[in-house]
Amino acid sequence: MPLNALGTNPITLAAPGHNGDDFVLDMATTTAALGKVEIYEREKLPIPETWGVNKNGEVTTDPADVINGGGLLSLGGAEATGGYKGYGLAMMVEIFCGILGDASYGPNVRKWREPGRIANLGQCFVAINPDVFAPGFRDRMSDLMDHCRGLEPAAGYDRVLVAGDPERAHMQECDENGGIPYPPHLIENMNKLASTLGVEPLKTV
């Protein structure tokens, strides 16, 4: 039976532009996060073919197959759609975060639903002062982001975004609404958990 070897191994990069308009990338090196697969499973929806495999290592569109003994595919999916690139990125994260610091790595990392043992997860943080290299970093960063935003969007889309734009828009929406929007079924599930744990349910506005 095929075995899982790597996690979602996220990569994050934040780079400052002008007036708080920063580039903020936070991405997994799998095509989708497990949480997104779980959402599709709850909604009884099929997942795209690039997201995951069943317990036999076969590409599947059934989210239950991924959750019950299957696994996530590297960014890009199978080899034919560039999955080897995501595989390489995931290995890179494993080297920096697991092997370099003598933390758990690869198949040795505790499973998400296995709380009985210490995770021993490694992290790697790198802070770079851009002014050490050349002046005007924020100018160039803002120029690049504005250029990308000014590109003609693909058919069916109204604009081109850069990393950090969706999150800023969501933060503004939350501020305007006075709270964080959640799907009704998620609130219901969390309130059931609150009842089981004997704590107060979520308060809605």
Side-chain angles (χ1 to χ4, degrees), residues 42 56 120 133 157 168 173 195-196 205:
R42 284 196 296 269
N56 298 316
N120 189 26
F133 293 84
Y157 295 89
R168 276 186 287 270
E173 178 188 355
S195 177
T196 301
V205 295

Side-chain angles (χ1 to χ4, degrees), residues 35 37-45 63 67 185-186 189:
V37 176
E38 290 175 335
I39 291 173
Y40 274 65
E41 199 267 340
R42 284 196 296 269
E43 298 289 345
K44 308 299 182 185
L45 296 172
I67 296 169
H185 72 271
L186 183 56
N189 289 337

Side-chain angles (χ1 to χ4, degrees), residues 2-13:
L3 298 175
N4 295 327
L6 301 171
T8 56
N9 293 14
I11 299 172
T12 300
L13 172 67

Side-chain angles (χ1 to χ4, degrees), residues 135-186:
F137 179 89
R138 286 172 175 78
D139 294 336
R140 296 189 296 276
M141 193 69 237
S142 291
D143 180 61
L144 175 60
M145 290 191 292
D146 289 343
H147 172 78
C148 291
R149 290 175 179 135
L151 296 172
E152 181 178 351
Y157 295 89
D158 58 357
R159 58 187 174 135
V160 175
L161 304 176
V162 299
D165 284 347
E167 290 77 12
R168 276 186 287 270
H170 184 67
M171 290 168 64
Q172 182 177 350
E173 178 188 355
C174 292
D175 289 341
E176 293 172 351
N177 293 336
I180 303 173
Y182 283 99
H185 72 271
L186 183 56

Side-chain angles (χ1 to χ4, degrees), residues 48-54 57-61 73 78:
E49 290 186 350
T50 55
W51 283 21
V53 295
N54 60 24
E58 301 162 334
V59 172
T60 181
T61 59
L73 280 169

Side-chain angles (χ1 to χ4, degrees), residues 94-105 108 119-123:
E94 209 71 66
I95 292 166
F96 278 116
C97 296
I99 294 176
L100 186 64
D102 193 24
S104 294
Y105 57 88
N108 304 314
N120 189 26
L121 290 175
Q123 310 285 340

